[in-house]
Amino acid sequence: MNLRPALLALAVAGSLALASCGGGGPTGGRPSSSPAGETPEQFVARVNDEMREVSTELNSAQWLSNTYINDDSELIAAKANERWLTRLNDWIAQARRFEGRSMSAETARQIKLLKLMTAMPAPMDAKELAELTRIASKLEGMYGSGKYCTGTGASESCRDIGQLSDVLAGNRDYAAQLDAWQGWHTVGAPMRNDYSRFVELVNKGAREMGFADAGEMWRSGYDMPPAELAQETDRLWDQVKPLYEQLHCYARGKLDAKYGKDKGEVAGGMLPAHLMGNLWQQDWTNLWDVLAPYPNASNPDVNAALQRTAEANLGRELMRPGSPAATAAERGFMAQRAAQFDTAVDMMRRAQDFYTSLGMRTLPESFWNKTQFIKPLDREVMCHASAWDMNMRGDVRIKMCINPNEEDLTTIYHEMGHIYYDLAYNPLPPLFQNAAHDGFHEAIGDTIVLSMTPQYLASVGLIARPQQSHDALINAQMRMALSKVAFLPFGLMIDRWRWGVFDGSIQPDHYNQAWWALKARYQGVAPVSARGEEFFDPGAKYHVPANTPYTRYFLANILQFQFYKALCDASGYKGPLNECSFYGSKEAGEKYWAMLSRGASQPWQATLKEMTGSEQMDARPLLEYFAPLQDWLKQQNAGQTCGWTPPDAAQPSPTAAPA
């Protein structure tokens, strides 16, 4: 799953100039003046013009701070954000004079979106605003440069998030996994005090804008009363919870069988946090070797094809003449780097091919020149995948550290969805250059990923022609469920935690307790040893120090199946939903592009209805997709006691939201 790296100008509905996985928003220097007698329509037109003119500076500063992590780039990003937030506050203050005035519906919507443009509402006080930007830059920098180090002096050994993630992904030694998991979670503890102060400052900014707190402001970006968002997400969770419970029950049984019941589960039937193949238990696909339903059945091996491509690229690079002054080892190393880059570009072009098969245009040349494809050797970078719209005029890029594996390939397909959404709504006024709501932005590329069926993968030469069998179907469904279904409760609980932090029901001296109470309640996972308040485990998840709203990802996992079903229908597909690929369908592409082109120009309910025929988000297409797996899981779990019992510690209500 992609995660957005923006610092401060993160929008509730996706950033103005940056896709929901990327970072940035417009900035400017000196606040603009408000002409006397200006009408609401003239005001909106002026703000749009100013935004379009000044959008590049902050995006460039944030790009720099993500691709050259050091004190200097952190300072540059903080100052750019400070100027942007000052400008935004100025626009919002100017907009207040139009309250109660007659204006067109389009103008009224743009003024509303202006007020909701940032997920980090800044105080009006200049000193507090500057403090907020410094803290935000510092928190993200701490995460981006985080490492787990053991030993001292010459014997010191440090591992970054990628290396620690590799342990959880591929090492089944119980102690090694626990060490890696606990090691990464040390990066959060130093953030606690800064984060607590951050909350105070954004809450003050939100109150000055007329909201009860920053959480209420976040929930105001969904074309419904803020109090209804928690109810809506609870309704959707109730639809999918039975499927998750069956998956959880199956996983627990497999872990018990591998490690023994004393290690394979935690008291109350919960899953051990460090054994789920992922630092945050949000994606279980790395446990395929443990959870595969039919290990001997034919399983698509995309990794093998990507490795063959990498080897072919390396062979070609080794044949190129090198510098006469370079040693054989140096020439070999440079050939490996060049081959790694070539393979990453090949993977990116493979993803572009899917979008262009639908009738969408090829990406601009600047995309290929400016994208970060692989991890540089000479500096710290934020490797977390993200998509960026730098100037609202077509300068789009992706930032990744690509490896030749299936996970990174699907991430590329996802990120490219953000890029095409950006390009589709670029012709709109800047205030409408956004997703219908932020869940839409995250769902676009994932809808394409659903269409990467075994048949599609075979058609583009990534796997052999798959055999159609019951075992192969269940395997394919399980692989998808370990990503999509396992994620659902995690997608819900992060903002439940932050809403409580923002409204004060979760105090700083209970940050960690509340975090694990919510993870127990929703995910049914727990640490195997106490995680007291000396830890700050929320800080070990990127989106918390980066202040990125997270409900969007839960909603995206629902919406993508709705979009997928609608596009399969548009393509003329008939058959089981899980076997549909609309690759090459111009009819599906035309329908999709029409939705993307709407941006935020109308309420999301209207956009969703145009796309799917319904104004309501609905998990039934997801359940239709996974129906074969759900039936199979029920058979496998027959006779077991499924579900789990969270600890008796006081837990914040998962549905609590200010009225």
Side-chain angles (χ1 to χ4, degrees):
M1 155 146 334
N2 79 316
L3 306 171
R4 144 185 211 172
L7 285 170
L8 316 178
L10 294 169
V12 169
S15 141
L16 179 78
L18 174 75
S20 295
C21 288
T27 184
R30 185 177 305 164
S32 58
S33 59
S34 178
E38 190 176 41
T39 67
E41 285 71 21
Q42 290 170 334
F43 167 75
V44 164
R46 175 171 60 82
V47 169
N48 277 319
D49 286 344
E50 291 174 1
M51 284 185 174
R52 193 180 292 277
E53 289 175 1
V54 301
S55 65
T56 304
E57 181 190 345
L58 179 56
N59 291 325
S60 295
Q62 290 186 332
W63 177 265
L64 182 67
S65 72
N66 275 257
T67 57
Y68 289 80
I69 297 177
N70 55 44
D71 292 343
D72 293 328
S73 63
E74 182 179 303
L75 176 62
I76 290 170
K79 289 299 184 183
N81 275 290
E82 185 179 334
R83 289 191 292 275
W84 150 245
L85 289 171
T86 300
R87 191 69 170 268
L88 178 61
N89 279 345
D90 181 57
W91 284 326
I92 292 171
Q94 293 177 31
R96 291 187 181 124
R97 71 185 189 275
F98 300 116
E99 293 176 0
R101 293 269 299 272
S102 176
M103 66 187 77
S104 68
E106 180 176 303
T107 297
R109 182 166 182 81
Q110 290 185 75
I111 289 177
K112 174 188 174 183
L113 293 174
L114 172 66
K115 191 175 180 181
L116 296 172
M117 186 162 295
T118 180
M120 197 194 75
M124 298 297 292
D125 179 82
K127 290 183 178 179
E128 290 180 326
L129 188 153
E131 181 186 6
L132 178 61
T133 60
R134 287 195 300 271
I135 291 175
S137 294
K138 180 181 178 182
L139 287 171
E140 190 168 10
M142 292 170 73
Y143 185 94
S145 60
K147 289 182 174 63
Y148 170 46
C149 298
T150 56
T152 58
S155 62
E156 184 181 46
S157 174
C158 295
R159 289 178 288 174
D160 61 21
I161 187 173
Q163 294 165 314
L164 296 169
S165 294
D166 288 344
V167 175
L168 297 188
N171 189 333
R172 294 294 165 249
D173 179 79
Y174 185 92
Q177 293 178 86
L178 181 58
D179 176 66
W181 184 88
Q182 290 177 337
W184 176 249
H185 281 72
T186 62
V187 306
M191 301 178 188
R192 175 186 283 268
N193 291 337
D194 284 323
Y195 187 77
S196 179
R197 177 58 177 161
F198 175 89
V199 169
E200 293 175 358
L201 292 169
V202 294
N203 271 344
K204 182 175 182 181
R207 287 193 296 270
E208 290 174 352
M209 293 171 62
F211 299 99
D213 55 71
E216 183 183 78
M217 180 180 173
W218 286 12
R219 294 190 298 275
S220 297
Y222 290 91
D223 292 306
M224 63 174 67
E228 293 182 8
L229 180 62
Q231 300 168 14
E232 177 68 0
T233 52
D234 280 339
R235 178 185 66 80
L236 295 168
W237 172 238
D238 286 342
Q239 283 186 287
V240 299
K241 185 178 179 181
L243 173 58
Y244 177 79
E245 288 177 333
Q246 290 295 322
L247 184 65
H248 181 283
C249 191
Y250 172 79
R252 186 176 63 203
K254 289 291 188 179
L255 291 173
D256 286 348
K258 181 169 183 60
Y259 295 100
K261 192 166 184 178
D262 60 327
K263 291 184 176 180
E265 60 181 89
V266 183
M270 292 186 287
L271 304 174
H274 69 287
L275 293 183
M276 303 313 298
N278 175 270
L279 287 167
W280 313 281
Q281 310 84 52
Q282 70 181 64
D283 186 312
W284 303 352
T285 52
N286 289 324
L287 291 186
W288 181 250
D289 58 310
V290 178
L291 302 180
Y294 299 104
N296 296 324
S298 174
N299 295 311
D301 189 358
V302 175
N303 288 336
L306 296 174
Q307 287 296 331
R308 288 194 296 271
T309 298
E311 291 167 2
N313 285 335
L314 177 58
R316 186 179 63 252
E317 292 295 340
L318 287 171
M319 295 297 294
R320 298 181 188 274
S323 169
T327 66
E330 290 170 340
R331 288 196 296 271
F333 176 77
M334 294 310 297
Q336 288 180 334
R337 288 287 297 175
Q340 184 183 3
F341 180 85
D342 293 344
T343 304
V345 173
D346 289 342
M347 293 166 67
M348 199 74 76
R349 291 195 184 279
R350 171 63 66 198
Q352 178 187 242
D353 172 69
F354 197 113
Y355 290 86
T356 57
S357 82
L358 303 178
M360 301 181 191
R361 63 182 183 270
T362 58
L363 297 174
E365 189 62 27
S366 61
F367 172 88
W368 304 100
N369 293 332
K370 297 179 179 180
T371 281
Q372 175 186 291
F373 290 96
I374 61 176
K375 185 174 183 178
L377 297 173
D378 59 343
R379 60 187 186 272
E380 294 283 352
V381 301
M382 182 74 72
C383 278
H384 206 101
S386 52
W388 299 63
D389 180 356
M390 301 296 291
N391 62 0
M392 297 183 286
R393 292 185 176 92
D395 181 357
V396 290
R397 355 181 150 163
I398 287 174
K399 177 187 61 60
M400 287 185 68
C401 301
I402 298 172
N403 292 302
N405 57 53
E406 183 177 7
E407 180 179 2
D408 280 12
L409 183 68
T410 56
T411 297
I412 291 168
Y413 278 66
H414 169 97
E415 296 300 338
M416 204 163 280
H418 292 296
I419 295 298
Y420 276 99
Y421 208 166
D422 294 332
L423 294 174
Y425 59 52
N426 272 170
L428 296 176
L431 282 167
F432 284 154
Q433 288 196 34
N434 228 320
H437 71 51
D438 54 9
F440 277 64
H441 230 311
E442 297 303 327
I444 303 307
D446 279 351
T447 301
I448 302 297
V449 171
L450 290 174
S451 202
M452 294 171 66
T453 62
Q455 290 75 21
Y456 160 76
L457 295 172
S459 73
V460 296
L462 285 171
I463 62 171
R465 184 65 58 180
Q467 295 181 352
Q468 299 297 317
S469 69
H470 169 268
D471 292 1
L473 169 62
I474 297 302
N475 275 357
Q477 288 251 294
M478 179 64 77
R479 288 173 67 88
M480 188 65 76
L482 294 178
S483 171
K484 303 294 184 181
V485 178
F487 173 81
L488 289 166
F490 182 77
L492 205 56
M493 62 80 47
I494 287 189
D495 278 354
R496 288 296 203 269
W497 180 81
R498 282 190 291 197
W499 294 348
V501 168
F502 287 138
D503 70 22
S505 60
I506 298 174
Q507 288 292 307
D509 59 350
H510 287 85
Y511 276 170
N512 235 40
Q513 178 193 15
W515 176 262
W516 285 107
L518 286 166
K519 287 181 75 66
R521 183 174 191 131
Y522 282 104
Q523 290 183 274
V525 301
V528 296
S529 59
R531 303 292 296 179
E533 296 305 322
E534 69 273 24
F535 302 106
F536 182 56
D537 292 332
K541 176 59 181 171
Y542 169 78
H543 298 74
V544 174
N547 194 48
T548 307
Y550 212 80
T551 300
R552 63 183 64 170
Y553 301 109
F554 172 79
L555 297 176
N557 264 30
I558 303 297
L559 284 168
Q560 64 192 252
F561 288 91
Q562 282 186 272
F563 296 166
Y564 175 63
K565 182 174 176 63
L567 295 177
C568 287
D569 290 344
S571 72
Y573 172 79
K574 304 295 182 183
L577 182 59
N578 55 273
E579 296 180 11
C580 167
S581 179
F582 48 80
Y583 175 73
S585 171
K586 298 300 189 292
E587 294 79 10
E590 183 178 353
K591 189 177 189 70
Y592 215 19
W593 189 259
M595 185 189 82
L596 301 182
S597 300
R598 289 287 193 182
S601 63
Q602 62 184 13
W604 65 262
Q605 293 90 339
T607 300
L608 183 64
K609 186 173 184 179
E610 292 173 1
M611 177 71 174
T612 69
S614 172
E615 293 184 345
Q616 188 176 55
M617 293 181 284
D618 186 9
R620 283 179 297 179
L622 182 153
L623 297 175
E624 178 185 350
Y625 181 94
F626 286 113
L629 178 66
Q630 187 165 14
D631 290 342
W632 183 87
L633 286 170
K634 289 178 180 178
Q635 295 172 7
Q636 301 302 306
N637 295 331
Q640 298 189 49
T641 301
C642 294
W644 59 90
T645 304
D648 293 333
Q651 300 171 28
S653 168
T655 59

